[in-house]
Amino acid sequence: MKGAARLFFTLALAYAVAGMCLGIYMAASHDHGQMPTHAHTMVAGWLMSSVFAFFYHLFPEIGARPLARVHFWIQGLSGVVLVVSLFAL
């Protein structure tokens, strides 16, 4: 795995760890007020980044293009804004 596929896979792992930590915290504290944040972190972050990583792994010639890096940065930054905004609500 290389290029955009590796970037998206790394991002997916980061989202997975963040979502699991939030889920464990909610379970331990019995406060499920951050359930939408947890769900969006896991679906919009982990799942979508994994799908993008799989796609770019299957099509490495597309993942080598500069637009793939732009895609990574837009998805990464917008995901962080989404998660932080939902957490603040």
Side-chain angles (χ1 to χ4, degrees), residues 1 3-4 10 16 18 25-26 29 31 37 45 47-49 51-52 56-59 62 64-65 78 84-85:
M1 192 175 291
T10 304
Y25 169 77
M26 288 189 308
S29 68
D31 178 15
T37 307
L47 182 66
M48 291 309 299
S49 295
V51 169
F52 295 147
Y56 286 126
H57 183 68
L58 287 177
F59 301 101
I62 296 173
R65 295 180 183 168
S78 63
V84 169
S85 299

Side-chain angles (χ1 to χ4, degrees), residues 2-27:
K2 58 185 175 182
R6 171 173 266 163
L7 291 173
F8 275 109
F9 187 71
T10 304
L11 185 63
L13 290 176
Y15 276 121
V17 168
M20 283 188 263
C21 288
L22 182 57
I24 291 168
Y25 169 77
M26 288 189 308

